[in-house]
Amino acid sequence: GQNIDQPTEMTATEGAIVQINCTYQTSGFNGLFWYQQHAGEAPTFLSYNVLDGLEEKGRFSSFLSRSKGYSYLLLKELQMKDSASYLCAVWDSNYQLIWGAGTKLIIKP
Amino acid sequence: GAVVSQHPSWVICKSGTSVKIECRSLDFQATTMFWYRQFPKQSLMLMATSNEGSKATYEQGVEKDKFLINHASLTLSTLTVTSAHPEDSSFYICSASGLAGENGPSADTQYFGPGTRLTVL
């Protein structure tokens, strides 16, 4: 079967760095997405990785290793507004989205 | 638990025809279902929110007569794209949030379907 694993919940301190991991097992791979979702709102696109390596976008970076079926989202200089759920999703060989259950990130002052 | 399916996964149709996409919650009762549209590698755009047994709430700019949404039961919502045109070609994704309960999903969590790729020729 296809599945994506990510931690259910993480807690971090304002101003710190946090890394949210995502491992996947899918039928083929056509890219991996990270979305941020605040409660009651639609998911916001953060990143799309299809090649190995690290992509940096301001305070957020996303890393992909296709051989390991592994990605992480790195958030630096955490702010209270970063408290949200972070969703990892993979496009399989048929461009079907396989979703992780999301990681709820709690930021404490 | 908390599995959401969509059917069909891929559809190609001629311009002017109507296409129906189904979204089902397989192992929980979905009180609310959401329909999104995703353009390649871009954000999910919320189209509408539907609650079981009531009319859907459409986001600004989404034509309710073109994108018909029916949420007739706690496990099924349908999106019908009427008189489809090539510009409607996109990836449509549904999500569902369910009834809170000891063995059920969290009521404030959305569970996403795998998406339906629509190509209008």
Side-chain angles (χ1 to χ4, degrees):
Chain A
Q2 307 197 90
N3 69 282
I4 292 187
D5 289 316
Q6 51 181 131
T8 304
E9 187 174 295
M10 299 181 72
T11 302
T13 306
E14 190 177 15
I17 298 173
V18 72
Q19 177 175 311
I20 303 174
N21 295 325
C22 170
T23 57
Y24 62 89
Q25 292 175 308
T26 57
S27 303
F29 178 84
N30 278 302
L32 184 145
F33 296 84
W34 282 99
Y35 290 93
Q36 178 193 62
Q37 187 177 32
H38 287 99
E41 297 180 13
T44 301
F45 170 79
L46 293 178
S47 66
Y48 171 75
N49 293 65
V50 65
L51 299 176
D52 291 348
L54 182 69
E55 290 197 8
E56 298 184 68
K57 267 190 201 178
R59 294 191 298 116
F60 292 7
S61 303
S62 57
F63 171 84
L64 174 68
S65 169
R66 288 171 296 170
S67 62
K68 295 182 179 177
Y70 168 68
S71 171
Y72 67 73
L73 181 69
L74 190 71
L75 292 76
K76 303 176 184 175
E77 300 170 18
L78 286 170
Q79 301 174 10
M80 298 302 294
K81 66 178 182 179
D82 297 329
S83 292
S85 285
Y86 292 84
L87 301 166
C88 173
V90 169
W91 258 345
D92 69 9
S93 57
N94 294 317
Y95 288 94
Q96 290 284 276
L97 271 174
I98 313 302
W99 293 87
T103 297
K104 185 176 181 180
L105 178 63
I106 300 168
I107 308 297
K108 295 186 175 178
Chain B
V3 177
V4 175
S5 72
Q6 286 183 236
H7 178 80
S9 56
W10 201 309
V11 58
I12 301 173
C13 69
K14 292 182 179 179
S15 185
T17 60
S18 294
V19 174
K20 181 186 282 188
I21 302 170
E22 293 184 348
C23 176
R24 292 182 184 274
S25 57
L26 298 184
D27 49 5
F28 68 101
Q29 293 180 316
T31 50
T32 306
M33 285 187 168
F34 306 83
W35 285 96
Y36 295 89
R37 182 171 176 174
Q38 183 200 48
F39 294 94
K41 305 178 191 176
Q42 293 178 5
S43 297
L44 297 179
M45 182 194 80
L46 179 64
M47 298 173 67
T49 302
S50 72
N51 292 295
E52 185 266 338
S54 60
K55 290 184 179 179
T57 302
Y58 289 81
E59 296 299 302
Q60 193 172 12
V62 178
E63 299 176 60
K64 58 181 67 177
D65 293 331
K66 180 169 182 62
F67 298 98
L68 301 177
I69 292 172
N70 185 295
H71 190 167
S73 77
L74 285 171
T75 59
L76 174 65
S77 176
T78 59
L79 167 68
T80 301
V81 183
T82 62
S83 187
H85 287 98
E87 56 265 31
D88 299 324
S89 297
S90 191
F91 195 54
Y92 293 87
I93 301 167
C94 75
S95 70
S97 60
L99 296 173
E102 185 177 343
N103 297 315
S106 168
D108 60 357
T109 299
Q110 289 184 34
Y111 298 89
F112 288 84
T116 296
R117 185 167 301 279
L118 170 64
T119 301
V120 184
L121 302 176

